[in-house]
Amino acid sequence: KEGKLLGMEFLRHFHVYLDYPEQEISLVPIRAKPQRGSFPLAPFLDEQVVIVGVLNSLLPEEYQHLEIGDEILSVNGQSIPQPATKDDFCTVIEAMQTDCVDLVIRDKGEVRICRKAIPGH
């Protein structure tokens, strides 16, 4: 919020979300009507561990305890092997092509994450 990076002021006028199945990063004007849903978190493969790599403002209040870097242990009841491979990470991404995903997060328990419409103002 305090940063002075080139282009950051421009991005404040958009909702930014990642669509892994479509391999897209989308900018939706804040004042636009919701058109697509997005997950409030995105996974990331970090040193052979699948972690929560992105959290956004769509995260429900009951999951505000999640943090970037939390380890994802399973997706839809399927355990993620340790160490995780790129194929294991792709399994997580494929599971996120649905509307809801059940995850188990180390030390935080089970969470059910569903796509939500990006709000317009």
Side-chain angles (χ1 to χ4, degrees), residues 11-108:
L11 290 175
R12 288 191 176 110
H13 300 286
F14 295 88
H15 294 288
V16 180
Y17 68 97
L18 307 173
D19 187 336
Y20 283 97
E22 296 298 321
Q23 298 181 5
E24 293 179 346
I25 298 174
S26 298
L27 299 176
V28 178
I30 288 175
R31 297 187 190 276
K33 292 182 181 179
Q35 295 180 2
R36 296 173 57 171
S38 180
F39 280 103
L41 68 76
F44 185 75
L45 183 61
D46 182 41
E47 297 183 16
Q48 298 180 313
V49 176
V50 178
I51 63 170
V52 174
V54 174
L55 294 170
N56 66 37
S57 61
L58 299 175
L59 190 67
E61 189 173 314
E62 65 265 27
Y63 299 136
Q64 292 295 315
H65 64 286
L66 297 178
E67 299 175 10
I68 293 175
D70 285 344
E71 183 178 356
I72 300 172
L73 300 175
S74 74
V75 59
N76 293 338
Q78 183 177 352
S79 294
I80 299 170
Q82 298 300 322
T85 65
K86 289 180 184 175
D87 287 339
D88 299 322
F89 177 69
C90 287
T91 298
V92 176
I93 297 301
E94 287 173 12
M96 295 183 79
Q97 292 182 18
T98 61
D99 287 333
C100 292
V101 177
D102 296 312
L103 303 172
V104 175
I105 309 292
R106 182 178 300 283
D107 300 326
K108 307 237 173 134

